[in-house]
Amino acid sequence: MSNWQKAKIEKSYKYQSRVFSENINDLTVVSREGKEITLNDGRKMTEFVSCSYLGLETHPDLKQAIIESVERFGAQLSVARTRIKVDLFPSLESKLSEIMFGAHTLTFNAVTPCHLAVLPLLASGELPEYKFSNTPYFIMEKTAHATLQINRGLLQQFGEVKRVDFQDKNAISEAFEFAHKNGLTPVSISDSVGSMGGVAPVKFIVEMAHTFNGYAYIDDAHGTSIFGKNGSGYVMECLDHKLDDRVIIAGSLSKAFGSHGGYIACNHKSTIDFIKAYGTTYTFGGPPSLPGIAACVAAADLHLNGVVERRQQDLNNRVRYFDEVFNDVEVINKGTAMPIRGILIGNEDKAISMCAKMHSRGFATTVAMYPTVEEGRAILRCALSAIHTRESIDALYSNFSSALSELS
């Protein structure tokens, strides 16, 4: 058996060691105001790194909610929620259900524990409303986030895992059809919005699940809040804001939502109750941060009272403006509504040097390279926010152009 992890480490080690040894990664922030950060070495930067695409994490309502929760409960109540929980959790899950147009929800301390709790239960065939008696056949998106990919070994205890390019509808349909013809139950596992680019054909995947008696588990972490009415997410937007019975959504509360945690959404209370009882990371993983959940409750209100809708519009304006300014540069996701932009550099060492130069010029971007993206396709990843200014995007472009000329 090949040691895939060792091979990946060996192939990427020289790049990963360089970004840490040269202090390009692992920056330490001592203060920030909006998108302006100050590092512990005194440098000041405009950051294009945070995945808080709507800028909600500094909203005064979230700050006040945290203060009030600490006064009520302290920093934490360290007990499994199956035993005892504070009222913040049912309040948040009720508001999330409203945001998700009636879908039932359950919160976790991150999206990864959502996967670890739900995927084994789904794979077992015993999850209520998602039951099956055949062997499962997992159709996993090739470029799905690492937190999904790491579950391949776990899933292989239940059935075969087939990795498929989800930008190729024919490949998806062939995988579903193969499962059906061989008496297997197809289970699609994918992102909605890719963290490094691309989107899944959500509606098509759901159609395949219905046609071939399968299911779809979709990680909507990067689609949460920035898409859909109420900020219900990319999946809900694709499904006209009516969650399908064959779909389970994993959403994030730690990115555009503005605070901390993850959640599961589906159409059935019986499914949620089962996950509470048998989902390992819910039962034994420890509760999420209480101040973080208090902030989530406040953020949920912003989703329901129109604030998020206005910030979605602001974000769309910033995304379009970025494309106008970077019109002569090859950019991943250009022309889409996604707030993630990848400025293609190509060579890994050059990308690292470019990121360092941008830091020295006062701009924090992420250098994304193998194994996060294909070898030879390294990018400067820019996460755009509703609170970025046009001036900051102009300055990013002019400094990028100058830095690139220096390396050429």
Side-chain angles (χ1 to χ4, degrees):
M1 181 180 295
S2 63
N3 187 334
W4 59 269
Q5 184 70 78
K6 180 180 179 180
K8 185 181 290 187
I9 291 170
E10 289 177 344
K11 195 172 183 179
S12 62
Y13 181 78
K14 62 180 179 179
Y15 309 130
Q16 296 298 329
S17 59
R18 184 181 167 196
V19 292
F20 283 97
S21 65
E22 297 182 18
N23 298 317
I24 294 166
N25 278 1
D26 206 26
L27 303 179
T28 300
V29 177
V30 296
S31 66
R32 69 168 172 164
E33 184 174 347
K35 284 296 175 181
E36 306 306 313
I37 59 175
T38 301
L39 304 185
N40 59 346
D41 59 9
R43 287 183 294 170
K44 297 182 183 296
M45 296 184 186
T46 303
E47 63 93 353
F48 286 84
V49 176
S50 169
C51 292
S52 182
Y53 306 116
L54 299 179
L56 295 179
E57 79 274 34
T58 56
H59 194 283
D61 288 5
L62 275 67
K63 295 179 183 180
Q64 185 59 37
I66 289 171
I67 293 169
E68 293 175 2
S69 77
V70 171
E71 291 295 329
R72 290 177 65 202
F73 302 117
Q76 184 60 295
L77 180 63
S78 298
V79 58
R81 285 178 289 161
T82 52
R83 282 28 169 209
I84 185 172
K85 63 187 176 185
V86 305
D87 60 4
L88 295 171
F89 291 103
S91 176
L92 174 58
E93 286 159 3
S94 175
K95 292 176 188 290
L96 284 173
S97 293
E98 189 176 351
I99 289 169
M100 299 295 288
F101 294 89
H104 294 276
T105 64
L106 185 64
T107 54
F108 290 79
N109 50 25
V111 179
T112 300
C114 293
H115 303 334
L116 289 172
V118 177
L119 286 176
L121 300 181
L122 180 59
S124 74
E126 291 299 313
L127 191 62
E129 310 301 333
Y130 299 86
K131 287 191 173 186
F132 54 87
S133 57
N134 298 336
T135 300
Y137 182 76
F138 303 103
I139 304 165
M140 180 171 283
E141 179 186 13
K142 276 186 176 180
T143 59
H145 195 270
T147 56
L148 283 173
Q149 298 283 356
I150 200 67
N151 287 288
R152 281 159 52 194
L154 184 155
L155 294 172
Q156 285 167 347
Q157 298 176 38
F158 299 91
E160 183 181 349
V161 178
K162 174 69 174 179
R163 296 179 71 222
V164 170
D165 180 0
F166 270 49
Q167 301 306 304
D168 184 347
K169 288 184 178 179
N170 287 332
I172 297 172
S173 62
E174 287 171 4
F176 270 94
E177 188 172 0
F178 173 86
H180 185 71
K181 284 183 176 178
N182 288 275
L184 307 172
T185 297
V187 179
S188 167
I189 300 173
S190 69
D191 295 328
S192 61
V193 177
S195 62
M196 293 297 161
V199 295
V202 171
K203 204 162 188 176
F204 179 76
I205 292 168
V206 176
E207 289 171 0
M208 290 294 98
H210 277 277
T211 300
F212 296 105
N213 197 27
Y215 301 104
Y217 181 91
I218 307 176
D219 182 339
D220 201 26
H222 286 279
T224 303
S225 301
I226 61 174
F227 295 105
K229 296 176 183 177
N230 299 339
S232 53
Y234 186 75
V235 176
M236 291 296 285
E237 183 173 274
C238 290
L239 300 179
D240 299 321
H241 302 97
K242 181 175 173 55
L243 188 54
D244 192 276
D245 282 346
R246 292 184 177 271
V247 175
I248 298 175
I249 295 174
S252 176
L253 304 171
S254 303
K255 293 181 169 58
F257 200 90
S259 185
H260 164 82
Y263 68 91
I264 290 292
C266 66
N267 275 346
H268 311 286
K269 183 178 183 298
S270 59
T271 306
I272 296 298
D273 290 343
F274 193 86
I275 296 169
K276 285 183 180 180
Y278 294 101
T280 303
T281 52
Y282 185 89
T283 305
F284 302 109
S289 157
L290 293 189
I293 294 302
C296 283
V297 174
D301 289 333
L302 300 180
H303 282 67
L304 294 168
N305 67 12
V307 169
V308 160
E309 181 182 358
R310 292 191 291 273
R311 293 216 179 184
Q312 286 178 335
Q313 294 169 357
D314 291 340
L315 177 60
N316 287 335
N317 290 336
R318 298 299 177 270
V319 167
R320 286 195 294 269
Y321 187 71
F322 184 96
D323 288 349
E324 291 174 12
V325 172
F326 281 82
N327 60 36
D328 59 345
V329 178
E330 186 172 353
V331 175
I332 308 302
N333 275 348
K334 182 182 285 187
T336 73
M338 311 307 159
I340 302 162
R341 289 293 185 268
I343 305 172
L344 184 65
I345 305 299
N347 176 270
E348 283 76 11
D349 284 312
K350 185 176 181 180
I352 294 169
S353 297
M354 274 296 295
C355 192
K357 282 186 172 293
M358 294 304 291
H359 284 184
S360 68
R361 290 170 172 270
F363 296 90
T365 63
T366 300
V367 56
M369 55 199 172
Y370 180 85
T372 304
V373 298
E374 293 178 30
E375 192 170 20
R377 298 280 295 176
I379 61 174
L380 292 186
R381 182 183 184 275
C382 300
L384 299 174
S385 170
I387 63 172
H388 276 123
T389 64
R390 288 189 169 210
E391 291 76 16
S392 66
I393 294 171
D394 288 338
L396 179 73
Y397 173 76
S398 62
N399 280 275
F400 169 81
S401 298
S402 298
L404 189 63
S405 296
E406 291 173 6
L407 283 181
S408 299

